Amino acid sequence: WSGLVPDCEAIECPAPSAPVSGELALETGRGGGYWVGSSVTWRCDPGHVMLGEPLTTCTHRGLWSHASPSCGQ
């Protein structure tokens, strides 16, 4: 081998935020972070309706597949 040794870095997404009048319902992050493939689902408080996607996944670009939803009445 005559080149540089490849270096691998883990890709992490930023912590998702819970919507007003809602919460993170399920997180599959490993080791205290949100790595590629980690998923998050949200849930709205009783009497509120979710506007947006209920699930998002950390992509290979370090971004969530969907924005955090909002919870309206």
Side-chain angles (χ1 to χ4, degrees):
W1 182 263
S2 61
L4 296 174
V5 176
D7 185 25
C8 297
E9 293 184 22
I11 298 172
E12 186 175 6
C13 285
S17 58
V20 174
S21 301
E23 64 183 353
L24 296 173
L26 176 67
E27 304 173 55
T28 64
R30 287 175 252 128
Y34 297 97
W35 310 103
V36 172
S38 298
S39 295
V40 171
T41 57
W42 291 278
R43 134 174 87 220
C44 292
D45 294 342
H48 292 79
V49 177
M50 186 173 297
L51 305 169
E53 294 293 324
L55 177 127
T56 189
T57 302
C58 181
T59 69
H60 69 282
R61 296 180 185 267
L63 301 170
W64 292 104
S65 59
H66 298 286
S68 298
S70 59
C71 296
Q73 288 189 314

